[in-house]
Amino acid sequence: MFNIINLHTVDPILMFTIFMGIVLVAPILAIKTKIPSIIYLLIGGMVVGPYGLDIVSRTLKIELLGAIGLLYIMFEAGLEINLHEVNKNKSYSLIFGLLTFAIPMFLGFLGGVYILKMSALSSLLLASLFSSHTLITYPIVSRFGLNKRKGVTAAIGGTIITDILALVVLVIVIAVYQGNSTFLFWGKFIGLTTIYVIFSAKYIPKIAKYFFIKYAKGNGSEEYVFIITITFILAQISHMIGLEPIIGAFLSGLVLNSLIPERSILMARVKFIGETLFIPFFLISVGMLIDVSQFIKNRETMKVAIFMIVIGVLSKLIAAFIFGKIIKLKSIENILIFSMTVNQAAATLAAVTVGYNIGILNKYILAGTITMIMITCFVGTFFTEYSARKMAFSEDKEEGRISSHRILVPVNRDINLENLMEFSFLFQNLKKNDPIYFLKIVLKENDSNEEIIESEKLLEKVVKRGKELKREIIPLIRIKRDISNGIVETVKENRISKVMFTWDRKHPEENVVFGDVIDKYTRESTSLIYILKLEHKLGIASKTYILIPKLITKHIGFLKILESTLKNLRELNTKIVFICKDETKENLDKVIKNSKDYTFLTVNKWEILDEFVENLIKSGDLIIFFLGREGESIWCNSQDKSAKSLIEDLESNFVGIYLSCSDGNNSYCDFKI
């Protein structure tokens, strides 16, 4: 211990204050030094812990917070995996997952037995620490727009495979170490585990969806409390059947994955609370286990640390380059895959903590693991930034051209506001950093102070929610005599490309489709228009039905908007079903990439479209209807009637899309012959 003056405290308020101070300082240092904040959190724990300045003891309260953080970090790991991309490139994911698991396992096991002179059982668990990895540098890859590259998606899928296999090794080692290796034990264990996994995968999403539809109607806190409760229930069941609780938490993230889109407000809450409280507390508590003086006093600690760093880096490098040779990637992409998967954090910390607590791994391995985490995170961050930047700038991207991707969302009152925001976030182009404009029109005859104050309060809610997701929201209040004209002027003033209206009431008049304001704006405007009726969270949709009228495929710009829509829908992990005529299906088969990934239903009598859809749709599903404006050659009266019927009569989510009528000098108002 390094403390000269006794600074030790048992005051819970002071202890919490010290921890929060570390949590506050760590990201600031990370920004300045470009080193992941995880390293500073671990160092903070080492400094204030019993082997540092001995300010805080690792009491039962600290251990409880650490245990919660451990489960939370594994839950997030399962939640953040892009299952759509993994499924799309499953063969590559399988190859890379096995390589990045087997090579570190082989080298780690041999090194543990012959270099560190450990037992076979301890060496096996040690080797599993090298096999797993955490994609802490994925946000860098995403920022450069490389997240759809086949090497990157293989790394994401490989993460699931190697982490699960590493956790299986952990379970086996613990069972053998505790003497639970009889046939009866393994039969019971495998049977209960199979039932547990199947039940969780089949029924937990259904229970969650039912809860979201029936009870999650408030400010969103109900959903968060529900998923955290489910996570800890699965963790406890996991513990009861002989698995480690971290496996239950990881499984919870996987089964709830499809219900929580990456850009949803619920995901923002999960990350915000995790990153500001539970996960930092876990990392600090792990840092408190490290005896810093052992690196000076004991050569064994330094020997173990150097060994673990070399094996951790070398094994991941070999796996990445062998995989690159197999699928013929460029060297720079091999470096990117290596830099993404060399980072040891979540699963590694979880496994070493469990192994240390039950006595399989000693304090030298724990100290060496922490050192390896620090070095690999630094190496991974540096090379990910380098390789991603080089790959991004070497590509001639169309996105590089200056264009407007700004979204305007007119709001009237606080009805399904969070669902409306989630949809706008889903369709926001993050690469362009264009803001989303939320507009409240105050009619001139009602421009009282009370009306303006209420409008400001409404927009304050929107800005607050936007900050949670780190989205730039620009609130606008306009005093106009006519709402539709006010929206038209705002679109021109701010170079808006998409306008998203929310629909919230029925219109019995036969000549009105979506309402006076929306219908009038549609006639007067040429911008891309979305009409939204969002009754439920977007993430609960099992299926998305996309309705394609016959002539809409001839519209200049239809294909571009359709591809963009399909790309954004991937975050929802929903099954896509196209509803169209036979000839339209033939056209779509020719132009849609990977059309075999989608289901097609044909309706040749378009007049009964609404009846056909009503028989298919289930609560929570999403309908997307591409529409033509009245007066265009692609318009017909039956599509308006069907759209009016569907949006008014069904309780599911509905999105009507009017395609843009102009783009610079090119006319979009008619179709190609």
Side-chain angles (χ1 to χ4, degrees):
M1 292 184 290
F2 298 104
N3 58 315
I4 299 173
I5 302 173
N6 186 10
L7 301 173
H8 189 77
T9 181
V10 292
D11 183 349
I13 296 177
L14 182 56
M15 291 166 62
F16 188 85
T17 303
I18 292 169
F19 272 42
M20 290 307 297
I22 297 172
V23 175
L24 174 65
V25 171
I28 297 174
L29 293 175
I31 293 171
K32 289 184 176 295
T33 60
K34 295 185 178 180
I35 296 173
S37 60
I38 182 176
I39 294 176
Y40 292 109
L41 292 168
L42 292 167
I43 293 173
M46 292 163 61
V47 171
V48 303
Y51 301 111
L53 298 177
D54 193 23
I55 299 173
V56 179
S57 296
R58 203 170 187 273
T59 62
L60 184 61
K61 297 173 185 176
I62 302 299
E63 291 177 4
L64 175 61
L65 288 172
I68 294 172
L70 175 59
L71 297 178
Y72 204 101
I73 202 170
M74 292 306 296
F75 167 64
E76 266 200 41
L79 201 60
E80 291 181 347
I81 292 171
N82 191 324
L83 295 178
H84 175 84
E85 292 299 325
V86 170
N87 184 59
K88 184 178 175 183
N89 297 278
K90 52 193 170 195
S91 59
Y92 291 157
S93 297
L94 180 62
I95 294 170
F96 180 70
L98 293 175
L99 283 172
T100 199
F101 171 78
I103 293 173
M105 276 294 295
F106 178 73
L107 295 178
F109 180 77
L110 291 181
V113 172
Y114 295 107
I115 298 177
L116 300 183
K117 308 299 181 183
M118 299 169 64
S119 67
L121 199 60
S122 297
S123 296
L124 193 61
L125 184 55
L126 172 69
S128 72
L129 302 182
F130 303 120
S131 297
S132 61
H133 57 255
T134 304
L135 299 172
I136 66 168
T137 60
Y138 179 75
I140 299 174
V141 177
S142 182
R143 190 178 78 232
F144 283 103
L146 303 172
N147 47 323
K148 297 298 185 290
R149 298 291 291 262
K150 63 181 179 181
V152 173
T153 55
I156 296 168
T159 300
I160 298 178
I161 295 168
T162 192
D163 281 4
I164 289 176
L165 291 175
L167 290 173
V168 169
V169 171
L170 174 65
V171 171
I172 294 172
V173 170
I174 290 173
V176 174
Y177 180 78
Q178 295 176 340
N180 299 321
S181 55
T182 64
F183 284 110
L184 179 62
F185 168 81
W186 285 113
K188 180 181 177 182
F189 173 77
I190 293 172
L192 288 174
T193 300
T194 303
I195 294 170
Y196 167 61
V197 172
I198 292 174
F199 176 84
S200 299
K202 187 174 182 180
Y203 293 105
I204 293 298
K206 292 181 180 179
I207 294 170
K209 185 181 293 187
Y210 177 82
F211 181 87
F212 286 177
I213 292 173
K214 294 292 183 180
Y215 301 108
K217 302 292 184 182
N219 59 9
S221 60
E222 300 93 341
E223 297 106 308
Y224 178 79
V225 174
F226 175 82
I227 64 171
I228 296 303
T229 303
I230 289 293
T231 298
F232 280 84
I233 289 173
L234 291 184
Q236 180 59 31
I237 295 174
S238 179
H239 179 63
M240 290 168 64
I241 65 175
L243 293 166
E244 280 301 310
I246 58 175
I247 295 177
F250 185 69
L251 177 63
S252 174
L254 287 178
V255 299
L256 292 172
N257 186 294
S258 61
L259 299 177
I260 308 175
E262 176 63 27
R263 284 187 266 181
S264 66
I265 293 174
L266 180 54
M267 178 67 90
R269 285 196 177 97
V270 170
K271 289 185 176 180
F272 176 77
I273 296 175
E275 291 172 4
T276 56
L277 190 62
F278 294 129
I279 294 175
F281 275 35
F282 164 67
L283 295 171
I284 294 170
S285 70
V286 171
M288 293 173 68
L289 294 170
I290 307 304
D291 187 351
V292 183
S293 63
Q294 290 298 319
F295 286 95
I296 302 170
K297 296 177 182 178
N298 197 315
R299 291 184 179 180
E300 185 68 18
T301 305
M302 189 60 68
K303 174 185 173 182
V304 170
I306 293 173
F307 164 79
M308 294 189 73
I309 292 167
V310 171
I311 295 297
V313 173
L314 184 62
S315 60
K316 293 296 183 180
L317 185 65
I318 293 172
F321 273 82
I322 290 177
F323 175 71
K325 287 288 184 183
I326 292 173
I327 68 169
K328 298 178 181 178
L329 297 177
K330 295 179 180 178
S331 295
I332 190 65
E333 194 159 1
N334 293 337
I335 294 174
L336 180 64
I337 296 171
F338 156 72
S339 63
M340 288 178 64
T341 57
V342 73
N343 308 282
Q344 304 289 342
T348 307
L349 273 172
V352 76
T353 303
V354 172
Y356 177 79
N357 288 338
I358 65 175
I360 301 178
L361 302 177
N362 57 38
K363 60 183 179 181
Y364 306 126
I365 299 297
L366 181 62
T369 302
I370 299 299
T371 309
M372 178 181 68
I373 288 171
M374 293 179 181
I375 299 300
T376 56
C377 287
F378 177 80
V379 170
T381 303
F382 175 82
F383 281 102
T384 301
E385 186 80 29
Y386 164 78
S387 55
R389 187 180 298 275
K390 192 169 183 179
M391 286 174 62
F393 286 124
S394 66
E395 294 179 350
D396 182 21
K397 295 185 175 182
E398 283 192 15
E399 298 96 53
R401 296 182 299 179
I402 298 174
S403 60
S404 173
H405 293 271
R406 297 178 181 179
I407 297 173
L408 177 70
V409 184
V411 290
N412 186 25
R413 53 189 186 274
D414 190 359
I415 295 180
N416 296 328
L417 187 59
E418 291 208 358
N419 293 344
L420 177 62
M421 292 182 66
E422 281 194 6
F423 186 88
S424 65
F425 293 151
L426 186 66
F427 279 73
Q428 184 182 17
N429 190 320
L430 297 179
K431 295 178 189 176
K432 294 295 180 181
N433 294 319
D434 281 327
I436 299 179
Y437 296 78
F438 276 76
L439 171 67
K440 179 68 171 71
I441 299 287
V442 178
L443 291 175
K444 203 165 186 64
E445 58 267 24
N446 300 329
D447 61 344
S448 63
N449 285 336
E450 290 79 7
E451 180 77 14
I452 295 173
I453 290 171
E454 287 301 314
S455 299
E456 289 175 346
K457 288 180 179 179
L458 177 62
L459 294 177
E460 281 175 8
K461 287 184 182 179
V462 176
V463 173
K464 181 181 178 182
R465 289 285 184 262
K467 286 180 179 178
E468 289 181 12
L469 273 176
K470 298 179 182 178
R471 299 288 190 273
E472 184 182 358
I473 301 292
I474 296 181
L476 300 173
I477 295 178
R478 296 286 187 269
I479 301 174
K480 299 291 181 181
R481 295 186 182 279
D482 182 87
I483 294 177
S484 179
N485 290 341
I487 297 172
V488 170
E489 292 175 10
T490 305
V491 166
K492 291 179 180 178
E493 290 170 3
N494 297 281
R495 296 188 296 114
I496 302 295
S497 58
K498 303 172 187 174
V499 180
M500 296 183 174
F501 288 96
T502 182
W503 182 96
D504 60 5
R505 59 193 177 88
K506 293 188 176 183
H507 302 280
E509 304 91 339
E510 290 187 6
N511 61 336
V512 175
V513 183
F514 296 117
D516 293 331
V517 173
I518 297 176
D519 287 3
K520 183 179 179 183
Y521 179 82
T522 303
R523 291 192 297 269
E524 296 177 351
S525 170
T526 59
S527 60
L528 179 63
I529 302 172
Y530 294 82
I531 295 93
L532 313 174
K533 175 192 170 187
L534 303 175
E535 300 291 325
H536 312 291
K537 293 286 182 183
L538 292 170
I540 70 171
S542 299
K543 293 182 180 179
T544 296
Y545 295 92
I546 302 181
L547 282 50
I548 311 289
K550 178 181 176 182
L551 296 178
I552 205 81
T553 56
K554 303 294 184 179
H555 193 291
I556 305 171
F558 164 76
L559 183 58
K560 181 179 178 182
I561 299 302
L562 179 62
E563 288 178 345
S564 174
T565 302
L566 293 175
K567 179 181 177 182
N568 292 325
L569 289 174
R570 287 175 192 161
E571 284 193 27
L572 303 181
N573 293 305
T574 176
K575 185 177 181 181
I576 307 294
V577 180
F578 285 99
I579 297 179
C580 56
K581 292 189 175 184
D582 285 322
E583 56 192 288
T584 307
K585 178 185 180 302
E586 293 177 6
N587 292 333
L588 292 174
D589 279 333
K590 296 175 184 177
V591 297
I592 296 179
K593 297 177 182 177
N594 304 314
S595 60
K596 293 180 181 179
D597 295 341
Y598 309 112
T599 302
F600 287 86
L601 297 176
T602 55
V603 183
N604 289 316
K605 291 185 178 180
W606 206 248
E607 295 77 14
I608 61 168
L609 175 68
D610 49 339
E611 296 177 17
F612 181 81
V613 174
E614 285 175 11
N615 292 327
L616 294 172
I617 204 79
K618 293 181 180 179
S619 181
D621 285 346
L622 173 63
I623 300 172
I624 297 180
F625 199 158
F626 281 89
L627 301 162
R629 288 172 167 83
E630 185 175 355
E632 293 179 333
S633 303
I634 59 175
W635 177 84
C636 64
N637 188 48
S638 62
Q639 74 175 20
D640 279 357
K641 288 183 178 179
S642 295
K644 181 181 176 69
S645 174
L646 291 172
I647 200 171
E648 290 185 351
D649 297 339
L650 294 181
E651 295 183 358
S652 57
N653 291 339
F654 177 95
V655 178
I657 301 178
Y658 285 105
L659 297 175
S660 174
C661 281
S662 63
D663 184 15
N665 296 321
N666 298 320
S667 173
Y668 271 36
C669 283
D670 213 338
F671 60 95
K672 290 182 178 178
I673 303 297

